[in-house]
Amino acid sequence: MIERFLNYSLRYGKKIKAIWLENDEIKQANITVKEIQGDTIFYSTAKLKTPATIQKQQLLSLGYSRGDSGELELFNKENQ
């Protein structure tokens, strides 16, 4: 399921909610995936304009960000 959300964000440029472990601390943020190279994910947040990185094995959970249900029909119509 993690791969599915990563690819969703990467392909459509949509924010996803991410929860991960960093230095024995649980972190969470809405991220937009910019690139995936092997097990390294390059992402940005609303606060961080420059891409940051995270390893897939650090991810605990991913999901839709608030207000997003994953429906792409409206999104696809707007971008045509």
Side-chain angles (χ1 to χ4, degrees):
M1 199 58 136
I2 285 179
E3 287 291 331
R4 184 175 179 169
F5 279 107
L6 291 173
N7 289 326
Y8 168 76
S9 178
L10 179 63
R11 182 173 181 191
Y12 298 106
K14 303 280 251 168
K15 290 184 287 185
I16 54 174
K17 182 171 186 150
I19 301 172
W20 69 94
L21 193 60
E22 184 178 305
N23 299 327
D24 294 329
E25 241 182 274
I26 294 177
K27 305 268 185 159
Q28 73 175 16
N30 286 326
I31 67 170
T32 304
V33 177
K34 300 297 183 184
E35 187 178 348
I36 300 172
Q37 291 182 359
D39 284 340
T40 303
I41 297 129
F42 296 84
Y43 69 93
S44 65
T45 66
K47 293 178 185 175
L48 270 176
K49 297 301 179 189
T50 57
T53 61
I54 191 168
Q55 298 298 310
K56 282 184 188 174
Q57 55 267 30
Q58 288 177 270
L59 294 171
L60 301 174
S61 179
L62 296 175
Y64 295 114
S65 64
R66 178 174 281 176
D68 186 359
S69 62
E71 294 177 16
L72 297 173
E73 284 182 20
L74 180 62
F75 181 76
N76 288 334
K77 286 179 185 175
E78 291 174 355
N79 290 320
Q80 289 180 355

